[in-house]
Amino acid sequence: MEGNIKHLDFISAICLFLVSVYIIWDSWEIHEDVGGPLYASPGLLTLFIGTMIALCSVLLFLRCLKNVGIAGNISAFKHWFTGFIKTKETLNTLLGIVILALFVFILLPRFPFLISSFIFMFILMKVMEAGSILKITIISACVSGSIFTLFQIIFKVPLP
């Protein structure tokens, strides 16, 4: 178990460092847009948080390099990733992300909320093998109708 965690720590350290660089960059942009001294800038807290994340990610990266080095961590990650990407759960998760993108960027702008949410739930439940076609259809219709009724009609919240 300890060996499996090391290569994930290695990749996490790299990803966190990249995120922290983005946070620091954006914080500095906020400071430049607002002007004035840095200690009064609204981006000071995010600059501090980004710097701390960068420091922690560098410490994690150095700890990962101590035992097996860069080549060992990369080969361990490649070995883990090739097995991980082939699992059914991973493929279903990626397919779920694609279906969510289809819902947000294609269905919602073109169809009313009730129809697009029904299509989204139906496809997602079918991919996840949640039951028979009849059961999926009934559940999708009931949930979409309930959400529409609760928010649009009862709470008067405009839906997309």
Side-chain angles (χ1 to χ4, degrees):
M1 179 86 179
E2 186 69 24
N4 291 342
I5 294 174
K6 291 294 182 193
H7 65 274
L8 294 178
D9 283 350
F10 178 74
I11 297 300
S12 297
I14 294 171
C15 293
L16 280 174
F17 184 76
L18 294 175
V19 168
S20 69
V21 167
Y22 173 73
I23 292 171
I24 292 169
W25 178 273
D26 223 25
S27 300
W28 194 256
E29 290 292 320
I30 291 172
H31 165 66
E32 288 185 352
D33 288 345
V34 172
L38 181 61
Y39 63 84
S41 173
L44 181 64
L45 179 62
T46 53
L47 182 66
F48 177 73
I49 291 172
T51 305
M52 291 300 109
I53 292 172
L55 177 66
C56 290
S57 64
V58 167
L59 292 174
L60 180 62
F61 187 78
L62 292 175
R63 193 181 85 193
C64 291
L65 292 182
K66 190 181 345 177
N67 293 338
V68 291
I70 291 179
N73 278 306
I74 290 175
S75 66
F77 177 75
K78 283 182 184 177
H79 176 70
W80 171 82
F81 189 73
T82 54
F84 173 74
I85 199 70
K86 293 178 184 174
T87 63
K88 185 175 180 176
E89 292 85 12
T90 303
L91 296 176
N92 279 347
T93 302
L94 293 175
L95 190 57
I97 292 169
V98 169
I99 293 169
L100 182 62
L102 172 90
F103 174 67
V104 170
F105 297 115
I106 295 178
L107 290 176
L108 275 179
R110 289 173 178 76
F111 299 108
F113 177 79
L114 194 57
I115 295 170
S116 57
S117 64
F118 173 79
I119 294 170
F120 167 71
M121 282 198 62
F122 183 85
I123 293 172
L124 191 63
M125 289 178 71
K126 186 64 183 155
V127 166
M128 299 300 169
E129 300 170 357
S132 67
I133 298 274
L134 180 64
K135 186 177 179 181
I136 291 173
T137 305
I138 291 170
I139 291 172
S140 298
C142 288
V143 169
S144 299
S146 298
I147 290 172
F148 181 80
T149 303
L150 182 68
F151 287 100
Q152 186 80 30
I153 296 172
I154 295 174
F155 292 144
K156 306 280 191 227
V157 175
L159 296 172

